[in-house]
Amino acid sequence: QQGISVIKEWKDLLTQVSDMQATIQSLSSLQFADAFESEIQLWTTKFTTLHEALLLLNQIQRKWLHLAPIFNSGALPSHTEKFNALDTQFKGIMNDIKKDPQVTSLLNKYDIVSTLKGILEGLDACQSALTAFLESKRQGFPRLYFIGDFDLLEILGKVRENPNIVQAHLKNLFQGISSVEIDSENKVVAYLSSLGEKVYLPEPVFTTASVEMWLNELCDKMQNSLVELLNDYMTKHAFSTKTY
């Protein structure tokens, strides 16, 4: 993804490193281990650092795979610059790994554990900001809880230029509503059921405001239109009464 190679076999990799740690630990109990104490200590430290670095890199990769498509789409401009800096750091490390796939080569990077911790903390901050952003939108229109984060971000990132992006998600937002009719001025003028039944709104809904605002307005006007239709029907088909 994003033009770089990622690590897939994490379980096998971490198992091999753990096995090496166990092997080095067992050497310290051998009869002549004292003669090699400095070497044993050196490799114990190296593999402890390597194991920690790999655990951090695993977490970073998983978070990056989730966040990269979101931030690259421009969904959260306030944190895009920060994410781009983290993205550059992560890609640099992964490209170096591709050039030299020997796992111990990761230790050649200066203070690799500290670097990875910094990247992970930065990604956590970006993820927290993203969560808060989505929560604010869902608080504004609670029906947005019915769709996932990625779908919501797709809507938020594209809805101003293309209000029709919501069409694919309307079935999750409104029971019985299959689609809406949006005119050339980006105004919602009617809504349709899955059977093709069309109901015109008493007034159009402008899609220029924030998506949670105009979806709220759409919800209100749909309810008003149904009330008006029901009242019209009751008026036209009222039963005549007669007292005996």
Side-chain angles (χ1 to χ4, degrees):
Q1 189 170 344
Q2 304 297 318
I4 71 167
S5 299
V6 295
I7 301 171
K8 295 182 179 179
E9 302 300 331
W10 284 104
K11 184 177 180 180
D12 292 342
L13 181 59
L14 290 168
T15 297
Q16 290 176 30
V17 172
S18 295
D19 289 345
M20 287 301 299
Q21 287 179 291
T23 299
I24 294 169
Q25 182 64 31
S26 67
L27 292 175
S28 63
S29 62
L30 295 179
Q31 183 178 359
F32 301 105
D34 291 346
F36 303 95
E37 182 179 358
S38 60
E39 288 85 353
I40 292 173
Q41 185 59 45
L42 174 64
W43 283 103
T44 298
T45 301
K46 281 188 174 183
F47 273 93
T48 298
T49 302
L50 181 59
H51 190 263
E52 184 178 5
L54 288 173
L55 289 175
L56 289 167
L57 190 58
N58 182 19
Q59 294 180 68
I60 290 169
Q61 180 176 288
R62 285 189 287 108
K63 286 183 182 292
W64 181 84
L65 287 170
H66 173 68
L67 294 174
I70 295 169
F71 280 93
N72 289 338
S73 70
L76 194 59
S78 62
H79 280 69
T80 298
E81 184 176 351
K82 180 174 184 177
F83 178 81
N84 286 342
L86 298 167
D87 180 69
T88 299
Q89 279 187 286
F90 173 71
K91 287 181 178 179
I93 292 172
M94 299 306 289
N95 286 330
D96 287 346
I97 290 174
K98 183 178 180 180
K99 293 175 185 175
D100 185 1
Q102 291 292 329
V103 68
T104 53
S105 297
L106 196 62
L107 296 173
N108 295 333
K109 289 185 170 295
Y110 175 74
D111 204 6
I112 184 62
V113 170
S114 179
T115 299
L116 292 174
K117 284 182 178 179
I119 296 174
L120 184 58
E121 288 174 4
L123 291 177
D124 283 340
C126 288
Q127 188 169 28
S128 295
L130 180 64
T131 300
F133 173 68
L134 295 180
E135 183 65 18
S136 69
K137 296 298 180 181
R138 287 173 169 139
Q139 289 288 329
F141 187 63
R143 289 173 184 258
L144 292 174
Y145 282 108
F146 296 142
I147 59 178
D149 288 355
F150 194 82
D151 289 336
L152 178 54
L153 284 162
E154 181 185 33
I155 292 173
L156 296 172
K158 299 178 181 178
V159 70
R160 285 188 178 274
E161 292 75 22
N162 178 25
N164 279 294
I165 195 71
V166 303
Q167 298 280 20
H169 307 285
L170 286 172
K171 293 178 181 179
N172 294 324
L173 296 175
F174 300 102
Q175 186 176 6
I177 303 302
S178 176
S179 63
V180 294
E181 185 176 304
I182 300 177
D183 66 13
S184 58
E185 297 179 344
N186 287 338
K187 295 182 293 185
V188 181
V189 295
Y191 54 97
L192 295 86
S193 73
S194 58
L195 298 177
E197 302 161 313
K198 180 188 291 188
V199 179
Y200 284 94
L201 297 171
E203 295 176 346
V205 173
F206 292 85
T207 61
T208 52
S210 297
V211 65
E212 70 274 19
M213 294 177 63
W214 69 258
L215 284 174
N216 266 313
E217 185 179 357
L218 175 62
C219 185
D220 291 340
K221 289 186 176 180
M222 283 196 298
Q223 292 173 349
N224 292 340
S225 67
L226 292 175
V227 169
E228 288 183 9
L229 287 172
L230 181 59
N231 285 336
D232 288 345
Y233 180 86
M234 294 299 293
T235 299
K236 293 176 181 178
H237 298 81
F239 292 100
S240 59
T241 60
K242 183 175 181 181
T243 303
Y244 291 92

